[in-house]
Amino acid sequence: MERREMDFIAGETIYFNKPLDWTSFDLVNKFRHKLSHKLNVRKIKVGHAGTLDPKATGVMIVCTGKATKRIEEFQYQAKEYVATLKLGETTPSFDLEKEVDRTYPVDHITCEMVLEALAKFTGEIRQVPPVFSACKINGKRAYELARKGREAPLKAKTLVIDEIELLTCALPVIQIRVVCSKGTYIRALARDIGIALHSGAHLTALQRTRIGNVTLDMCLSTDRIDDFLEDIITKTTIEDETV
């Protein structure tokens, strides 16, 4: 992150690399707690743009103060992901959050078939969100119902996938790069790719590498939060004292 004078209460935007097994809310809450303690304030407004699943890592934009008004702006910017899929197996969550529940044949799949299948998902598509998602059904989050065994049908949504690139093909494992619009579930895309290949699939790894112009190399590691706040706030205090 760039080192400069920051006013978190008035509003700042910070880029983080979300760790594996943290929820997006874990990151926001931990940063808010550390920031409040460092500034010696009881409350400070903190929000994030673009939720990442616990099993996903990568770019997450966090806004404070009046900068939270920019969250919607960030959410509508294109997002880029690198996803690793294992073909021939599915899980209820479409990723590693749940255990494999079903296996499918993969001997018929070739890398050429994978390329042909991926091409079908470029452009405007309809996608049914995962049942383990934050989509609301009659005021309840879908994942809350799913965890209680009360799954309800979710409606397909229209979204846009600008690019899909096959990075590696070591069957039954493939890695793809996806550039997509707001509301795209890469887990659901993995499910649909499996179906298109007359098999099954789930994510074994997912990293968000970009939101708009914000890339991973611009992001702060969560284990550097304390040092980051110390540097910024100490620098600001020294400058204030010398004015």
Side-chain angles (χ1 to χ4, degrees):
M1 290 291 295
E2 179 187 358
R3 292 296 189 266
R4 61 177 178 81
E5 183 177 347
M6 287 185 162
D7 188 338
F8 295 101
I9 295 175
E12 293 290 350
T13 301
I14 307 97
Y15 312 139
F16 284 103
N17 183 354
K18 187 191 85 65
L20 185 67
D21 291 327
W22 283 36
T23 68
S24 297
F25 298 105
D26 286 339
L27 196 157
V28 168
N29 290 336
K30 288 176 192 248
F31 180 67
R32 182 192 291 116
H33 174 75
K34 289 176 180 291
L35 181 60
S36 298
H37 178 74
K38 196 68 183 174
L39 294 176
N40 196 27
V41 296
R42 292 184 62 186
K43 290 185 179 180
I44 185 166
K45 193 173 185 179
V46 182
H48 72 282
T51 300
L52 280 174
D53 294 323
K55 293 297 181 184
T57 64
V59 178
M60 206 174 94
I61 298 177
V62 172
C63 301
T64 74
K66 291 182 180 179
T68 54
K69 293 179 180 179
R70 297 190 63 197
I71 285 176
E72 188 172 0
E73 169 197 334
F74 289 123
Q75 287 178 330
Y76 276 93
Q77 292 179 356
K79 299 174 179 65
E80 180 185 73
Y81 297 87
V82 171
T84 304
L85 287 66
K86 185 171 184 182
L87 306 177
E89 295 178 351
T90 58
T91 73
S93 59
F94 310 147
D95 65 8
L96 294 179
E97 186 177 344
K98 297 293 181 181
E99 298 290 331
V100 172
D101 63 351
R102 194 169 298 178
T103 58
Y104 298 82
V106 293
D107 291 345
H108 64 287
I109 301 173
T110 65
C111 292
E112 289 73 21
M113 287 177 61
V114 172
L115 284 169
E116 290 174 5
L118 294 181
K120 298 175 183 177
F121 294 97
T122 304
E124 187 174 278
I125 66 169
R126 299 278 289 170
Q127 184 186 78
V128 178
V131 292
F132 285 88
S133 69
C135 292
K136 284 191 175 181
I137 304 170
N138 298 324
K140 295 283 189 180
R141 297 290 185 185
Y143 65 78
E144 294 174 348
L145 298 173
R147 285 166 183 162
K148 293 177 182 178
R150 294 163 48 200
E151 294 178 16
L154 290 165
K155 295 180 180 179
K157 297 182 179 181
T158 301
L159 50 90
V160 176
I161 296 183
D162 297 305
E163 299 176 47
I164 298 187
E165 178 186 2
L166 181 62
L167 298 178
T168 62
C169 184
L171 297 171
V173 176
I174 63 172
Q175 188 177 69
I176 60 175
R177 183 183 67 88
V178 182
V179 179
C180 57
S181 67
K182 175 182 182 291
T184 305
Y185 284 93
I186 306 299
R187 287 181 290 135
L189 179 62
R191 170 203 63 199
D192 295 340
I193 290 171
I195 293 171
L197 291 168
H198 305 290
S199 184
H202 68 283
L203 291 181
T204 58
L206 178 64
Q207 183 179 59
R208 185 156 65 198
T209 52
R210 179 171 63 85
I211 298 178
N213 294 322
V214 180
T215 53
L216 264 177
D217 62 306
M218 301 165 64
C219 294
L220 179 71
S221 171
T222 53
D223 61 10
R224 292 277 302 156
I225 291 176
D226 289 330
D227 292 339
F228 169 72
L229 293 177
E230 183 69 28
D231 289 349
I232 292 298
I233 293 168
T234 299
K235 177 178 181 290
T236 302
T237 302
I238 291 172
E239 288 180 351
D240 288 344
E241 290 174 351
T242 58
V243 171

